[in-house]
Amino acid sequence: MNEVHFLPDKTTISVRPGTTLLEAGRKASVPIRTRCGGRAACLMCKVKVEDQAGLMPISRNEKLKLGSLLQEGIRLACQARVTGDVVVLIPEDPLKAAVRKLLAQQQEDD
């Protein structure tokens, strides 16, 4: 079994090798946005993995879809498969980020 650590939630789950990060997130109740059901069609499940030693090498399909984002450590959670322990940073939901920013601006104006 391999451990997947999700940040910023600080949630950890043990999964079998070959499990996708999307599947691991679902099992750990960590929300990872997706619309296509894990078929690499919507590109919404982007996550950041600094040290990718615990993941299978990137597939040609994922490489084509992500392009230059790969250099920033971005992977598609539906395609990245676990082979060892890994730490995954889940980006903030864009809607939540917009609401947070709006609330912060309102507090500054008060």
Side-chain angles (χ1 to χ4, degrees):
M1 297 292 274
N2 303 116
E3 287 193 345
V4 180
H5 306 276
F6 291 101
L7 300 176
D9 295 5
K10 297 181 182 173
T11 302
T12 300
I13 189 166
S14 293
V15 297
R16 296 182 188 280
T19 302
T20 67
L21 294 178
L22 184 61
E23 292 165 342
R26 286 181 178 156
K27 289 178 184 176
S29 298
V30 173
I32 299 175
R33 297 174 57 230
T34 184
R35 188 176 294 147
C36 69
R39 295 186 304 268
C42 70
L43 304 181
M44 291 178 70
C45 66
K46 291 188 265 311
V47 296
K48 187 167 188 166
V49 181
E50 296 281 336
D51 180 1
Q52 298 192 16
L55 297 176
M56 285 185 181
I58 191 162
S59 69
R60 184 176 183 275
N61 183 36
E62 187 180 5
K63 192 179 289 189
L64 290 172
K65 293 192 181 268
L66 288 175
S68 64
L69 291 174
L70 290 171
Q71 296 166 354
E72 298 172 31
I74 304 297
R75 294 290 301 265
L76 294 177
C78 69
Q79 300 297 300
R81 295 189 178 274
V82 176
T83 58
D85 294 349
V86 65
V87 177
V88 181
L89 176 63
I90 308 296
E92 185 175 22
D93 179 271
L95 180 58
K96 285 183 183 178
V99 169
R100 184 180 45 73
K101 184 177 178 182
L102 183 61
L103 290 172
Q105 286 175 345
Q106 287 176 348
Q107 286 179 348
E108 287 176 9
D109 293 342
D110 289 344

